[in-house]
Amino acid sequence: MTAMRVCFVTTFYPPFNFGGDGIAVQRLARGLAKWGCEVTVIHDADAYAALTTDPAPAPEAAEPVGIRVIALRSRWPLASALLTHQLGRPIVNSSRLRRLLDHGRFDAIMFNNVSLVGGPAILGYGGAAAKLYLAHEHWLVCPTHVLWRHHRELCDRRECIRCQIRYRRPPQWWRYTGMLDRALANVDVFIALSEFSRAKHREFGFPREMKVVPNFLPDPAPGADGRSEVVPRPHERPYFLFVGRLEQFKGLDEVIDLFATFDAADLVVIGDGTYAAALHRRASRNPRIRFLGRLPGQVLEPYYRHAVALIAPSICFESFGMTLIEAFSHGTPVLARRLGSFPEIIERSGGGILFDSTEGLLHEMQALLGAPDRRTVLGQKGYNAYVQHWSESAVVPQYLSILEETRWRRSTKQSSCARS
């Protein structure tokens, strides 16, 4: 296979990102570069600036050789993001995006979260390049991305206009014009992160077939086996761990309430988000609950390693459970709600336990505390599954195969059209 020139188009990219989609794009870009691809990443720093009042993030270390990062910036970041959101096409940055994508001579363009970088119209940019769309969330079928209706419940039917108003977002009228369906015709391959997400797209009327390729983590260090390395314990008492965005749909409220009467272990919460203040108030009288905010990976590692288990209590439809894989990579088992993509991951790995209720979660917490050998067995199964299914070496070749096949089909189709 010859080396390819690949472009990623994404709204968020570290350090200009809030959640996991930007990090996933960065991992994939670095993975493809490591396998010989020449990678360009185009992301929208305007969108990040429009959505936060925080100071501009500090620059990260330079990307590895083979990766070029282009940040889109203008003097009107809020206007740029709002116009794209409302019109479904890039306005402020349109000329630059056209120039970069139409004349970049890319073999393939991988569109990710394009909600604010260009909307559906950007799927038509890029000339003759093979085009792939990676559905990190459910934006293709949900204006709020997460199928969490009215900011309070799982979405099982469309009430999109009322829902967007409840989210205090202006409705996207272009979703009712056929604009999205026309834009989808420009894309060769759509990729979901889980079988669950693919099925959910189909359930909500997505008209195209989707392949399934999961997110991944870097390969383990040579000789690592998940728990053999000695890592200092970061917390004195036994503890369960939560890692993720602090939003209401992550389900942490009932876990905090559970720890009001459960005193055999502590709860360590790592992450931040718009619901953080409410969760702090809810836990304010419980000294056994610690909020540590966001932590970089090297600081987070020992918290994963020494936790009794990771708790994944999300009450929304997660397209993929990245924190589950992170726990597995450290040999730590997972207690996950039986919802969304979590059952798929737990059943495939054997590295955790599913629960359906707060009572069920309490029972499994008590059982793990009383059976350290069982915890070790679950953790090792999770680690083995991470290496086999969710490591860079397991996943990046799948992307390379899809890229090569898509490029070949696109070039064959163009040759046929030229002859006719």
Side-chain angles (χ1 to χ4, degrees):
M1 183 184 71
T2 58
M4 284 180 282
R5 299 189 69 211
V6 180
C7 181
F8 287 83
V9 179
T10 178
T11 295
F12 302 116
Y13 191 79
F16 299 91
N17 71 295
F18 299 101
D21 61 328
I23 296 171
V25 172
Q26 185 181 62
R27 286 195 183 113
L28 181 53
R30 291 177 175 180
L32 291 178
K34 189 182 298 183
W35 286 65
C37 294
E38 182 180 331
V39 177
T40 298
V41 178
I42 302 172
H43 72 95
D44 198 334
D46 274 355
Y48 179 85
L51 294 174
T52 184
T53 58
D54 294 339
E60 289 199 331
E63 290 285 352
V65 173
I67 299 179
R68 177 176 65 140
V69 178
I70 300 171
L72 301 175
R73 292 185 175 88
S74 73
R75 288 180 291 174
W76 310 283
L78 180 58
S80 176
L82 182 60
L83 286 168
T84 300
H85 181 270
Q86 286 296 282
L87 300 179
R89 62 181 68 252
I91 302 297
V92 175
N93 293 311
S94 60
S95 296
R96 190 178 184 198
L97 280 165
R98 260 248 198 243
R99 187 168 62 252
L100 288 167
L101 294 175
D102 289 354
H103 305 295
R105 297 183 179 179
F106 297 112
D107 296 303
I109 298 173
M110 303 186 77
F111 296 102
N112 300 272
N113 175 358
V114 297
S115 58
L116 298 181
V117 70
I122 202 173
L123 302 180
Y125 290 22
K131 296 174 185 176
L132 300 88
Y133 186 99
L134 277 63
H136 293 275
E137 295 179 321
H138 294 108
W139 175 81
L140 291 169
V141 294
C142 174
T144 66
H145 300 232
V146 291
L147 295 174
W148 181 243
R149 191 173 55 206
H150 305 315
H151 231 311
R152 66 170 184 256
E153 61 194 12
L154 290 170
C155 183
D156 59 5
R157 66 183 183 277
R158 292 184 182 276
E159 298 177 3
C160 298
I161 294 176
R162 289 172 52 205
C163 184
Q164 288 173 87
I165 293 171
R166 185 64 64 93
Y167 272 84
R168 299 182 179 178
R169 299 178 185 177
Q172 294 176 311
W173 299 110
W174 56 259
R175 287 185 179 267
Y176 303 93
T177 67
M179 181 182 186
L180 179 58
D181 287 340
R182 292 191 296 272
L184 297 179
N186 295 293
V187 179
D188 300 291
V189 176
F190 293 88
I191 298 174
L193 299 182
S194 63
E195 293 290 349
F196 168 83
S197 183
R198 174 163 65 178
K200 192 56 65 174
H201 276 84
R202 187 182 300 119
E203 177 186 332
F204 276 82
F206 185 67
R208 301 287 296 275
E209 291 298 316
M210 303 183 84
K211 296 181 180 293
V212 175
V213 185
N215 276 335
F216 65 91
L217 290 172
D219 289 340
D225 66 358
R227 301 204 69 89
S228 62
E229 304 90 338
V230 177
V231 176
R233 187 177 182 86
H235 188 84
E236 184 177 351
R237 276 171 48 85
Y239 65 92
F240 291 86
L241 181 66
F242 172 90
V243 178
R245 291 163 56 196
L246 301 189
E247 305 293 345
Q248 188 174 14
F249 54 74
K250 291 295 184 178
L252 200 51
D253 299 75
E254 61 187 62
V255 179
I256 287 174
D257 292 347
L258 179 62
F259 274 81
T261 55
F262 177 75
D263 59 4
D266 296 347
L267 175 65
V268 174
V269 179
I270 296 176
D272 202 357
T274 62
Y275 199 54
L279 292 173
H280 278 266
R281 288 193 296 271
R282 199 177 193 106
S284 60
R285 297 184 180 180
N286 191 339
R288 297 188 305 281
I289 300 177
R290 291 187 60 194
F291 290 88
L292 302 182
R294 294 181 185 174
L295 296 180
Q298 65 272 20
V299 179
L300 179 56
E301 178 179 350
Y303 286 96
Y304 269 123
R305 184 69 59 83
H306 291 284
V308 178
L310 175 80
I311 298 177
S314 183
I315 53 177
C316 74
F317 295 130
E318 300 273 6
S319 60
F320 189 77
M322 199 64 235
T323 58
L324 279 65
I325 310 307
E326 290 175 354
F328 291 162
S329 74
H330 296 294
T332 299
V334 174
L335 301 176
R337 190 180 300 276
R338 194 186 304 274
L339 185 66
S341 61
F342 292 172
E344 186 177 328
I345 293 172
I346 295 298
E347 289 164 7
R348 188 174 195 186
S349 66
I353 305 164
L354 296 168
F355 64 87
D356 298 291
S357 64
T358 305
E359 293 75 19
L361 173 59
L362 175 60
H363 172 77
E364 298 300 347
M365 288 166 55
Q366 292 171 330
L368 276 184
L369 276 171
D373 290 345
R374 185 184 182 212
R375 174 185 173 276
T376 299
V377 170
L378 289 172
Q380 191 61 53
K381 287 183 177 180
Y383 180 82
N384 293 341
Y386 142 67
V387 173
Q388 182 177 358
H389 302 298
W390 301 298
S391 62
E392 182 178 305
S393 293
V395 175
V396 171
Q398 298 178 53
Y399 275 105
L400 289 168
S401 177
I402 292 172
L403 283 167
E404 185 66 27
E405 179 187 353
T406 307
R407 180 175 67 166
W408 179 82
R409 283 195 286 107
R410 169 73 73 135
S411 63
T412 301
K413 181 178 179 181
Q414 290 167 349
S415 298
S416 298
C417 291
R419 286 194 299 270
S420 63

